[in-house]
Amino acid sequence: MQCSKCSGKAVIQLQHGSLCKIHFLNYFEEKVFKTIKKYKLIDRNDRICVAASGGKDSLTVLYLTKKYLEQYDLKTNLFALLIDEGIANYRKTTIKDLKTFCKEHKIKLVIASAKEEFGYTLDRAYPIINKETKKKPCNICGVWRRYLINKYARKNKATKLVTGHNLDDEAQAIIMNTFKANTSLSAHLGPVSGIEDHDLFVQRVKPLYFCAEKETRLYCLLKGFQVDFTECPYAQEGLRAKVRDMLNDFENQYKGTKQSIINSFLEVLPLIKEHQIKINSSPLNICKICQEPANQEICNTCKLKEVLKNGKKKRV
Amino acid sequence: MNILIKRETEQKQKNISFSKNTVKDLLEQLKINPETVILTRNNEVLTEDDVLNDKDSLEILNVVSGG
């Protein structure tokens, strides 16, 4: 198949035509840069932290954020932040890939380790917490990651936190929240996360918001980024996987399904956010123990620490 | 015709007997959703309409991360 813009061989078929390697790379980069500009994701005075795992989305967003800053001659500081949860035979490979990538592209890399912060790797903490609470590893990992990313981004004086969330992630989240009637969670979605600014929260932004997962994978491949596809040993086939498969089936039959979900969601998002601000009677708390942001008196991370402490006592 | 395929998460190639023409036909035969993979032949990215030839050696790359 031929590119719609030149006589080159197409590498992807999109809803509006096919593109060769050169035109696809331009299309993809322009889309990301337009998103950054339209939603004002990066300001001239920002210090930017890119949450990076070494996977395809984070490498792409890290590379393109740096390219955007250079292209528009923004003297903004940029660094990558990796969370090492402590998962044997998994995280070490992605750390190695990310270190190589950051060295090659002259990007500072900060690594925050769960072992150093909480005294436990996820591998050691999971059986203890699971015995006490039945929590699954992804629940624990999610709480730890959100806590550490925000804490270390702030500690390193970041004013924006760039994440690699893509169009598929967002469409899945919208559908999952709809299935669970969880409007308050949906209010936190969008290219700029959250509903209100808070001193303790570093503003999260998503430059890949309009990039499909397949496009990002193709971008990585064509750019020659080294991406490891080792599956996390704790990866579960939960609701998200079912929603992902369902959306991919729809997309295959009705091109543009995921984009349409995003477009219609963005039309109502300002209303959802406004409504959430109005009904949000309990503003964000500060955890009594660690002074980090919390929904209740004690944050979820400190609750997990308590469980670990009690679990350890029982074992002794 | 015979097509050799290798998935990036697997070490070994598989020999597939294939009687149709295109990448789209092959994915249908393998029951793989085209949204979830990218196919390459000699490091060249293929689209669904690309025609396959006997003894082609293909790699199937996963789109979804394994995290």
Side-chain angles (χ1 to χ4, degrees):
Chain A
M1 180 172 282
Q2 195 173 307
C3 174
S4 309
K5 293 181 182 253
C6 70
S7 58
K9 188 200 169 305
V11 293
I12 192 165
Q13 285 171 263
L14 300 167
Q15 213 185 342
H16 48 77
S18 301
L19 296 175
C20 66
K21 177 180 174 178
I22 291 171
H23 283 112
F24 169 73
L25 291 175
N26 288 341
Y27 152 84
F28 188 88
E29 292 183 2
E30 274 175 23
K31 185 156 68 167
V32 174
F33 291 177
K34 270 185 193 167
T35 306
I36 294 175
K37 282 186 221 165
K38 183 176 178 183
Y39 293 95
K40 298 182 175 62
L41 303 188
I42 294 173
D43 293 326
R44 189 162 285 276
N45 299 321
D46 274 330
R47 178 171 163 80
I48 296 165
C49 169
V50 179
S53 64
K56 68 179 190 312
D57 300 306
S58 65
L59 287 190
T60 301
V61 83
L62 182 57
Y63 174 82
L64 286 178
T65 304
K66 186 165 187 278
K67 187 167 181 174
Y68 178 86
L69 299 178
E70 286 167 356
Q71 191 159 312
Y72 291 93
D73 200 24
L74 299 175
K75 307 291 180 204
T76 313
N77 281 307
L78 169 82
F79 68 95
L81 170 62
L82 179 135
I83 306 303
D84 180 3
E85 311 89 346
I87 304 172
N89 303 322
Y90 173 63
R91 189 50 77 202
K92 270 185 186 167
T93 321
T94 63
I95 290 177
K96 193 170 153 265
D97 288 345
L98 186 61
K99 276 183 177 171
T100 308
F101 187 88
C102 287
K103 197 176 172 189
E104 190 184 328
H105 295 276
K106 298 184 176 63
I107 298 169
K108 182 188 166 189
L109 173 64
V110 175
I111 299 177
S113 144
K115 175 86 166 55
E116 281 173 25
E117 185 75 23
F118 309 125
Y120 284 85
T121 60
L122 185 67
D123 288 339
R124 275 198 61 222
Y126 164 57
I128 302 171
I129 296 174
N130 177 264
K131 199 175 174 189
E132 301 290 317
T133 65
K134 304 283 176 224
K135 277 189 191 298
K136 291 175 179 170
C138 298
N139 303 130
I140 305 163
C141 188
V143 169
W144 279 7
R145 287 180 62 78
R146 279 191 293 276
Y147 177 91
L148 290 172
I149 285 175
N150 188 62
K151 185 174 176 179
Y152 278 79
R154 207 183 60 233
K155 198 172 162 184
N156 285 277
K157 300 187 171 30
T159 54
K160 289 278 168 60
L161 179 56
V162 169
T163 68
H165 289 100
N166 59 40
L167 183 128
D168 289 53
D169 297 327
E170 190 80 354
Q172 289 156 18
I174 294 164
I175 297 297
M176 284 163 69
N177 293 342
T178 306
F179 283 1
K180 291 180 170 182
N182 203 335
T183 316
S184 64
L185 271 185
S186 284
H188 288 81
L189 297 175
V192 178
S193 303
I195 52 173
E196 282 181 296
D197 291 342
H198 192 284
D199 287 347
L200 289 177
F201 266 129
V202 183
Q203 180 72 73
R204 293 181 186 216
V205 295
K206 305 168 189 167
L208 304 186
Y209 194 82
F210 295 101
C211 301
E213 191 154 33
K214 186 168 183 172
E215 292 175 353
T216 312
R217 178 66 173 104
L218 182 59
Y219 184 83
C220 268
L221 178 68
L222 297 176
K223 293 295 285 183
F225 295 161
Q226 180 68 43
V227 180
D228 184 77
F229 268 76
T230 307
E231 191 172 65
C232 174
Y234 296 120
Q236 296 166 338
E237 290 297 298
L239 177 62
R240 183 175 282 274
K242 285 197 170 70
V243 170
R244 181 192 66 209
D245 293 345
M246 179 191 76
L247 290 181
N248 280 333
D249 284 344
F250 267 93
E251 187 70 37
N252 190 32
Q253 290 181 61
Y254 310 101
K255 293 286 176 208
T257 296
K258 294 173 197 169
Q259 184 66 60
S260 298
I261 291 170
I262 297 293
N263 292 349
S264 47
F265 176 72
L266 285 176
E267 280 191 30
V268 296
L269 183 59
L271 298 174
I272 299 175
K273 285 190 190 269
E274 196 181 311
H275 174 70
Q276 200 57 38
I277 291 167
K278 268 186 202 163
I279 63 162
N280 195 2
S281 52
S282 56
L284 194 71
N285 288 309
I286 294 171
C287 175
K288 275 184 172 178
I289 301 170
C290 70
Q291 317 303 316
E292 287 294 314
N295 289 324
Q296 293 159 339
E297 284 194 342
I298 297 171
C299 75
N300 287 334
T301 304
C302 286
K303 283 180 189 167
L304 288 179
K305 280 185 192 169
E306 279 300 306
V307 175
L308 280 170
K309 210 156 79 181
N310 294 336
K312 198 179 171 188
K313 273 183 202 163
K314 282 183 192 173
R315 286 185 166 197
V316 172
Chain B
M1 68 175 107
N2 286 313
I3 306 276
L4 276 171
I5 60 165
K6 182 186 171 298
R7 300 204 72 145
E8 67 180 335
T9 46
E10 293 166 5
Q11 295 294 322
K12 283 184 183 172
Q13 282 188 320
K14 272 184 197 165
N15 200 345
I16 302 283
S17 176
F18 179 57
S19 56
K20 291 187 178 172
N21 296 315
T22 64
V23 168
K24 189 179 182 186
D25 297 330
L26 178 70
L27 291 176
E28 269 177 19
Q29 180 178 320
L30 297 172
K31 295 187 172 57
I32 295 174
N33 184 335
E35 288 302 313
T36 63
V37 291
I38 292 170
L39 262 73
T40 62
R41 176 174 53 196
N42 303 325
N43 293 323
E44 181 188 62
V45 177
L46 301 177
T47 58
E48 284 180 54
D49 289 355
D50 279 319
V51 174
L52 299 174
N53 306 307
D54 189 29
K55 298 191 176 62
D56 266 350
S57 180
L58 309 178
E59 186 165 16
I60 302 178
L61 310 174
N62 289 333
V63 163
V64 178
S65 305

